[in-house]
Amino acid sequence: MTQISVPVVRNILQANERLAAANRKRLEDAGIYAVNLMSSPGAGKTSLLERTIEHLGGRIRMAVIEGDLQTSQDAERIQSKGVQAVQINTDGGCHLDGNMVQIAMDSLDLGHLDLLIIENVGNLVCPAEFNLGEHDKIVILSVTEGDDKPSKYPVMFQQSSVLLINKIDLLPYIDCDVEKIRRDASRLNARLEIFAVSCRTGEGLEAWFSWLEKNVQEHKK
Ligand code: MG
Ligand code: ZN
């Protein structure tokens, strides 16, 4: 790394921290609980959102900010469930930042919300380094990605409050040691809550719904 690039990176991260803090203040003032949902592409972020909306949508007023490189397909999937959704296209950018989320929040009706879910760009690396103002980070890892991911991408697991191990209905067909994932992830982060789920069959999702609902109630004004 050159001598110039280190301060540049530090400045970018510091500017982002200020925006994230401002976003957090707006959320707190409105009594909204917010999570930042992260995973690699195809691990099941949008499917988890659909399940969560089906289960909690009647009781909790929620909105979704969808981050994607291109297209508004995911926001359309969410809107078709009757939930406010804003799409951010990063145009090649591999993570969301505080500024993008601030702009997206401007188009949400914050006065009538209890829960904001921010679906980050599919990427296991830098989304973990950019705070958005969320209260908790959630990482989804699907069993098809292999059981070596916590040790290969430690920051994501260190920064998150919850790990959802998804697609457990596929375990009979693949070599993936879920206990190894649990062990390695817990070693990186002792306070990590781990739920093994299948967004396809619904198995295990009750524990996630309860966790989320408890946090929403605690942040309500
Ligand atoms: Mg998606
Ligand atoms: Zn990035």
mmCIF file of all heavy atoms in Angstrom, residues 12-47:
data_model
loop_
_atom_site.group_PDB
_atom_site.id
_atom_site.type_symbol
_atom_site.label_atom_id
_atom_site.label_comp_id
_atom_site.label_asym_id
_atom_site.label_seq_id
_atom_site.Cartn_x
_atom_site.Cartn_y
_atom_site.Cartn_z
ATOM 1 N N ILE A 12 -12.285 8.456 4.176
ATOM 2 C CA ILE A 12 -13.556 7.953 3.648
ATOM 3 C C ILE A 12 -14.346 7.274 4.765
ATOM 4 O O ILE A 12 -15.533 7.525 4.943
ATOM 5 C CB ILE A 12 -13.311 6.962 2.482
ATOM 6 C CG1 ILE A 12 -12.794 7.719 1.258
ATOM 7 C CG2 ILE A 12 -14.587 6.211 2.128
ATOM 8 C CD1 ILE A 12 -12.301 6.833 0.139
ATOM 9 N N LEU A 13 -13.654 6.448 5.544
ATOM 10 C CA LEU A 13 -14.349 5.731 6.612
ATOM 11 C C LEU A 13 -14.836 6.696 7.693
ATOM 12 O O LEU A 13 -15.915 6.523 8.237
ATOM 13 C CB LEU A 13 -13.452 4.640 7.201
ATOM 14 C CG LEU A 13 -13.248 3.425 6.295
ATOM 15 C CD1 LEU A 13 -12.204 2.487 6.875
ATOM 16 C CD2 LEU A 13 -14.550 2.663 6.057
ATOM 17 N N GLN A 14 -14.042 7.737 7.994
ATOM 18 C CA GLN A 14 -14.468 8.706 9.017
ATOM 19 C C GLN A 14 -15.680 9.505 8.546
ATOM 20 O O GLN A 14 -16.612 9.735 9.314
ATOM 21 C CB GLN A 14 -13.320 9.668 9.349
ATOM 22 C CG GLN A 14 -12.339 9.054 10.342
ATOM 23 C CD GLN A 14 -11.084 9.894 10.519
ATOM 24 O OE1 GLN A 14 -10.939 10.940 9.885
ATOM 25 N NE2 GLN A 14 -10.185 9.429 11.363
ATOM 26 N N ALA A 15 -15.670 9.921 7.271
ATOM 27 C CA ALA A 15 -16.823 10.650 6.730
ATOM 28 C C ALA A 15 -18.054 9.757 6.790
ATOM 29 O O ALA A 15 -19.154 10.201 7.132
ATOM 30 C CB ALA A 15 -16.542 11.084 5.292
ATOM 31 N N ASN A 16 -17.856 8.488 6.473
ATOM 32 C CA ASN A 16 -18.988 7.562 6.523
ATOM 33 C C ASN A 16 -19.527 7.402 7.943
ATOM 34 O O ASN A 16 -20.736 7.321 8.144
ATOM 35 C CB ASN A 16 -18.586 6.202 5.955
ATOM 36 C CG ASN A 16 -19.774 5.279 5.854
ATOM 37 O OD1 ASN A 16 -20.675 5.523 5.054
ATOM 38 N ND2 ASN A 16 -19.822 4.268 6.702
ATOM 39 N N GLU A 17 -18.639 7.362 8.920
ATOM 40 C CA GLU A 17 -19.077 7.242 10.323
ATOM 41 C C GLU A 17 -19.977 8.410 10.725
ATOM 42 O O GLU A 17 -20.944 8.225 11.457
ATOM 43 C CB GLU A 17 -17.862 7.181 11.265
ATOM 44 C CG GLU A 17 -17.206 5.817 11.342
ATOM 45 C CD GLU A 17 -18.182 4.699 11.696
ATOM 46 O OE1 GLU A 17 -18.910 4.821 12.700
ATOM 47 O OE2 GLU A 17 -18.233 3.716 10.945
ATOM 48 N N ARG A 18 -19.650 9.616 10.251
ATOM 49 C CA ARG A 18 -20.476 10.784 10.590
ATOM 50 C C ARG A 18 -21.875 10.651 9.981
ATOM 51 O O ARG A 18 -22.876 10.941 10.636
ATOM 52 C CB ARG A 18 -19.805 12.078 10.100
ATOM 53 C CG ARG A 18 -18.644 12.531 10.994
ATOM 54 C CD ARG A 18 -18.191 13.943 10.652
ATOM 55 N NE ARG A 18 -17.569 14.033 9.344
ATOM 56 C CZ ARG A 18 -16.275 13.760 9.118
ATOM 57 N NH1 ARG A 18 -15.488 13.391 10.112
ATOM 58 N NH2 ARG A 18 -15.773 13.854 7.910
ATOM 59 N N LEU A 19 -21.931 10.193 8.729
ATOM 60 C CA LEU A 19 -23.237 10.018 8.088
ATOM 61 C C LEU A 19 -24.034 8.917 8.774
ATOM 62 O O LEU A 19 -25.236 9.046 8.987
ATOM 63 C CB LEU A 19 -23.035 9.663 6.607
ATOM 64 C CG LEU A 19 -22.564 10.829 5.739
ATOM 65 C CD1 LEU A 19 -21.972 10.323 4.438
ATOM 66 C CD2 LEU A 19 -23.726 11.782 5.463
ATOM 67 N N ALA A 20 -23.333 7.840 9.136
ATOM 68 C CA ALA A 20 -24.015 6.731 9.818
ATOM 69 C C ALA A 20 -24.584 7.198 11.151
ATOM 70 O O ALA A 20 -25.710 6.837 11.525
ATOM 71 C CB ALA A 20 -23.044 5.570 10.026
ATOM 72 N N ALA A 21 -23.833 8.038 11.862
ATOM 73 C CA ALA A 21 -24.315 8.542 13.152
ATOM 74 C C ALA A 21 -25.548 9.421 12.967
ATOM 75 O O ALA A 21 -26.492 9.361 13.764
ATOM 76 C CB ALA A 21 -23.201 9.316 13.858
ATOM 77 N N ALA A 22 -25.542 10.226 11.899
ATOM 78 C CA ALA A 22 -26.713 11.070 11.622
ATOM 79 C C ALA A 22 -27.927 10.203 11.272
ATOM 80 O O ALA A 22 -29.052 10.474 11.724
ATOM 81 C CB ALA A 22 -26.398 12.044 10.488
ATOM 82 N N ASN A 23 -27.711 9.164 10.491
ATOM 83 C CA ASN A 23 -28.809 8.243 10.152
ATOM 84 C C ASN A 23 -29.360 7.596 11.419
ATOM 85 O O ASN A 23 -30.573 7.462 11.598
ATOM 86 C CB ASN A 23 -28.327 7.144 9.203
ATOM 87 C CG ASN A 23 -27.991 7.665 7.820
ATOM 88 O OD1 ASN A 23 -28.353 8.791 7.473
ATOM 89 N ND2 ASN A 23 -27.296 6.848 7.036
ATOM 90 N N ARG A 24 -28.453 7.176 12.293
ATOM 91 C CA ARG A 24 -28.868 6.509 13.531
ATOM 92 C C ARG A 24 -29.722 7.444 14.387
ATOM 93 O O ARG A 24 -30.728 7.045 14.947
ATOM 94 C CB ARG A 24 -27.641 6.041 14.315
ATOM 95 C CG ARG A 24 -27.943 5.543 15.719
ATOM 96 C CD ARG A 24 -28.680 4.213 15.709
ATOM 97 N NE ARG A 24 -27.733 3.150 15.508
ATOM 98 C CZ ARG A 24 -27.068 2.544 16.510
ATOM 99 N NH1 ARG A 24 -27.331 2.856 17.748
ATOM 100 N NH2 ARG A 24 -26.195 1.599 16.237
ATOM 101 N N LYS A 25 -29.321 8.713 14.420
ATOM 102 C CA LYS A 25 -30.070 9.684 15.218
ATOM 103 C C LYS A 25 -31.501 9.826 14.679
ATOM 104 O O LYS A 25 -32.463 9.840 15.439
ATOM 105 C CB LYS A 25 -29.343 11.033 15.207
ATOM 106 C CG LYS A 25 -30.121 12.186 15.824
ATOM 107 C CD LYS A 25 -29.377 12.836 16.944
ATOM 108 C CE LYS A 25 -30.172 13.808 17.819
ATOM 109 N NZ LYS A 25 -31.572 14.014 17.543
ATOM 110 N N ARG A 26 -31.623 9.900 13.355
ATOM 111 C CA ARG A 26 -32.968 10.011 12.754
ATOM 112 C C ARG A 26 -33.821 8.793 13.103
ATOM 113 O O ARG A 26 -35.008 8.911 13.378
ATOM 114 C CB ARG A 26 -32.856 10.073 11.225
ATOM 115 C CG ARG A 26 -32.649 11.457 10.680
ATOM 116 C CD ARG A 26 -32.377 11.384 9.197
ATOM 117 N NE ARG A 26 -33.589 11.495 8.380
ATOM 118 C CZ ARG A 26 -33.585 11.363 7.053
ATOM 119 N NH1 ARG A 26 -32.460 11.104 6.416
ATOM 120 N NH2 ARG A 26 -34.696 11.478 6.367
ATOM 121 N N LEU A 27 -33.185 7.626 13.062
ATOM 122 C CA LEU A 27 -33.909 6.389 13.382
ATOM 123 C C LEU A 27 -34.346 6.383 14.843
ATOM 124 O O LEU A 27 -35.499 6.076 15.164
ATOM 125 C CB LEU A 27 -33.029 5.170 13.085
ATOM 126 C CG LEU A 27 -32.716 4.930 11.607
ATOM 127 C CD1 LEU A 27 -31.539 3.960 11.461
ATOM 128 C CD2 LEU A 27 -33.946 4.401 10.873
ATOM 129 N N GLU A 28 -33.416 6.764 15.715
ATOM 130 C CA GLU A 28 -33.721 6.784 17.151
ATOM 131 C C GLU A 28 -34.865 7.758 17.437
ATOM 132 O O GLU A 28 -35.781 7.443 18.192
ATOM 133 C CB GLU A 28 -32.482 7.214 17.956
ATOM 134 C CG GLU A 28 -31.343 6.217 17.946
ATOM 135 C CD GLU A 28 -31.590 5.020 18.854
ATOM 136 O OE1 GLU A 28 -32.435 5.129 19.761
ATOM 137 O OE2 GLU A 28 -30.936 3.981 18.636
ATOM 138 N N ASP A 29 -34.775 8.949 16.829
ATOM 139 C CA ASP A 29 -35.802 9.961 17.072
ATOM 140 C C ASP A 29 -37.186 9.468 16.649
ATOM 141 O O ASP A 29 -38.190 9.851 17.241
ATOM 142 C CB ASP A 29 -35.463 11.264 16.320
ATOM 143 C CG ASP A 29 -34.287 11.992 16.954
ATOM 144 O OD1 ASP A 29 -33.889 11.619 18.086
ATOM 145 O OD2 ASP A 29 -33.745 12.919 16.311
ATOM 146 N N ALA A 30 -37.201 8.639 15.611
ATOM 147 C CA ALA A 30 -38.482 8.138 15.110
ATOM 148 C C ALA A 30 -38.885 6.808 15.762
ATOM 149 O O ALA A 30 -39.955 6.275 15.464
ATOM 150 C CB ALA A 30 -38.404 7.975 13.590
ATOM 151 N N GLY A 31 -38.038 6.269 16.634
ATOM 152 C CA GLY A 31 -38.364 4.994 17.283
ATOM 153 C C GLY A 31 -38.328 3.811 16.334
ATOM 154 O O GLY A 31 -39.081 2.845 16.483
ATOM 155 N N ILE A 32 -37.433 3.891 15.348
ATOM 156 C CA ILE A 32 -37.330 2.826 14.343
ATOM 157 C C ILE A 32 -36.100 1.964 14.623
ATOM 158 O O ILE A 32 -34.998 2.491 14.823
ATOM 159 C CB ILE A 32 -37.199 3.418 12.917
ATOM 160 C CG1 ILE A 32 -38.414 4.298 12.596
ATOM 161 C CG2 ILE A 32 -37.030 2.318 11.879
ATOM 162 C CD1 ILE A 32 -38.219 5.150 11.344
ATOM 163 N N TYR A 33 -36.300 0.657 14.620
ATOM 164 C CA TYR A 33 -35.187 -0.284 14.739
ATOM 165 C C TYR A 33 -34.720 -0.651 13.328
ATOM 166 O O TYR A 33 -35.551 -0.908 12.443
ATOM 167 C CB TYR A 33 -35.651 -1.532 15.501
ATOM 168 C CG TYR A 33 -34.619 -2.629 15.563
ATOM 169 C CD1 TYR A 33 -33.428 -2.456 16.261
ATOM 170 C CD2 TYR A 33 -34.844 -3.837 14.919
ATOM 171 C CE1 TYR A 33 -32.483 -3.464 16.307
ATOM 172 C CE2 TYR A 33 -33.902 -4.851 14.960
ATOM 173 C CZ TYR A 33 -32.721 -4.653 15.656
ATOM 174 O OH TYR A 33 -31.781 -5.651 15.691
ATOM 175 N N ALA A 34 -33.401 -0.660 13.106
ATOM 176 C CA ALA A 34 -32.889 -0.907 11.749
ATOM 177 C C ALA A 34 -31.824 -1.998 11.742
ATOM 178 O O ALA A 34 -30.970 -2.056 12.630
ATOM 179 C CB ALA A 34 -32.294 0.377 11.166
ATOM 180 N N VAL A 35 -31.904 -2.849 10.741
ATOM 181 C CA VAL A 35 -30.876 -3.879 10.554
ATOM 182 C C VAL A 35 -30.276 -3.776 9.155
ATOM 183 O O VAL A 35 -30.924 -3.334 8.213
ATOM 184 C CB VAL A 35 -31.424 -5.322 10.759
ATOM 185 C CG1 VAL A 35 -31.829 -5.538 12.202
ATOM 186 C CG2 VAL A 35 -32.568 -5.635 9.811
ATOM 187 N N ASN A 36 -29.023 -4.192 9.063
ATOM 188 C CA ASN A 36 -28.256 -4.194 7.818
ATOM 189 C C ASN A 36 -28.012 -5.664 7.460
ATOM 190 O O ASN A 36 -27.281 -6.367 8.154
ATOM 191 C CB ASN A 36 -26.944 -3.438 8.088
ATOM 192 C CG ASN A 36 -25.988 -3.426 6.920
ATOM 193 O OD1 ASN A 36 -26.263 -3.962 5.846
ATOM 194 N ND2 ASN A 36 -24.827 -2.812 7.148
ATOM 195 N N LEU A 37 -28.672 -6.105 6.389
ATOM 196 C CA LEU A 37 -28.665 -7.512 6.012
ATOM 197 C C LEU A 37 -27.585 -7.754 4.959
ATOM 198 O O LEU A 37 -27.608 -7.150 3.889
ATOM 199 C CB LEU A 37 -30.054 -7.824 5.442
ATOM 200 C CG LEU A 37 -30.545 -9.218 5.242
ATOM 201 C CD1 LEU A 37 -30.454 -10.005 6.541
ATOM 202 C CD2 LEU A 37 -31.994 -9.177 4.768
ATOM 203 N N MET A 38 -26.645 -8.639 5.273
ATOM 204 C CA MET A 38 -25.492 -8.839 4.394
ATOM 205 C C MET A 38 -25.296 -10.328 4.084
ATOM 206 O O MET A 38 -25.575 -11.191 4.919
ATOM 207 C CB MET A 38 -24.226 -8.310 5.078
ATOM 208 C CG MET A 38 -24.349 -6.887 5.585
ATOM 209 S SD MET A 38 -22.861 -6.325 6.457
ATOM 210 C CE MET A 38 -22.858 -7.409 7.861
ATOM 211 N N SER A 39 -24.766 -10.596 2.886
ATOM 212 C CA SER A 39 -24.422 -11.977 2.501
ATOM 213 C C SER A 39 -23.740 -11.931 1.151
ATOM 214 O O SER A 39 -23.704 -10.874 0.519
ATOM 215 C CB SER A 39 -25.675 -12.846 2.384
ATOM 216 O OG SER A 39 -26.354 -12.588 1.161
ATOM 217 N N SER A 40 -23.253 -13.069 0.678
ATOM 218 C CA SER A 40 -22.801 -13.114 -0.712
ATOM 219 C C SER A 40 -24.028 -13.198 -1.628
ATOM 220 O O SER A 40 -25.135 -13.446 -1.163
ATOM 221 C CB SER A 40 -21.846 -14.278 -0.969
ATOM 222 O OG SER A 40 -22.070 -15.330 -0.107
ATOM 223 N N PRO A 41 -23.830 -12.998 -2.937
ATOM 224 C CA PRO A 41 -24.984 -13.062 -3.842
ATOM 225 C C PRO A 41 -25.649 -14.436 -3.774
ATOM 226 O O PRO A 41 -24.958 -15.457 -3.751
ATOM 227 C CB PRO A 41 -24.366 -12.839 -5.232
ATOM 228 C CG PRO A 41 -23.057 -12.183 -4.986
ATOM 229 C CD PRO A 41 -22.576 -12.697 -3.656
ATOM 230 N N GLY A 42 -26.964 -14.446 -3.712
ATOM 231 C CA GLY A 42 -27.687 -15.716 -3.798
ATOM 232 C C GLY A 42 -27.821 -16.498 -2.511
ATOM 233 O O GLY A 42 -28.306 -17.626 -2.515
ATOM 234 N N ALA A 43 -27.425 -15.919 -1.374
ATOM 235 C CA ALA A 43 -27.531 -16.645 -0.104
ATOM 236 C C ALA A 43 -28.955 -16.634 0.450
ATOM 237 O O ALA A 43 -29.291 -17.432 1.328
ATOM 238 C CB ALA A 43 -26.572 -16.061 0.930
ATOM 239 N N GLY A 44 -29.776 -15.713 -0.080
ATOM 240 C CA GLY A 44 -31.183 -15.715 0.329
ATOM 241 C C GLY A 44 -31.648 -14.477 1.083
ATOM 242 O O GLY A 44 -32.615 -14.548 1.838
ATOM 243 N N LYS A 45 -31.014 -13.320 0.855
ATOM 244 C CA LYS A 45 -31.423 -12.101 1.558
ATOM 245 C C LYS A 45 -32.864 -11.710 1.214
ATOM 246 O O LYS A 45 -33.664 -11.447 2.106
ATOM 247 C CB LYS A 45 -30.491 -10.924 1.198
ATOM 248 C CG LYS A 45 -29.077 -11.069 1.738
ATOM 249 C CD LYS A 45 -28.227 -9.811 1.485
ATOM 250 C CE LYS A 45 -28.009 -9.476 0.026
ATOM 251 N NZ LYS A 45 -27.376 -10.541 -0.777
ATOM 252 N N THR A 46 -33.165 -11.666 -0.068
ATOM 253 C CA THR A 46 -34.502 -11.215 -0.460
ATOM 254 C C THR A 46 -35.556 -12.256 -0.078
ATOM 255 O O THR A 46 -36.662 -11.897 0.342
ATOM 256 C CB THR A 46 -34.538 -10.884 -1.973
ATOM 257 O OG1 THR A 46 -33.425 -10.029 -2.276
ATOM 258 C CG2 THR A 46 -35.809 -10.149 -2.338
ATOM 259 N N SER A 47 -35.216 -13.535 -0.153
ATOM 260 C CA SER A 47 -36.155 -14.579 0.281
ATOM 261 C C SER A 47 -36.430 -14.467 1.771
ATOM 262 O O SER A 47 -37.572 -14.641 2.220
ATOM 263 C CB SER A 47 -35.595 -15.972 -0.011
ATOM 264 O OG SER A 47 -35.345 -16.111 -1.379
#
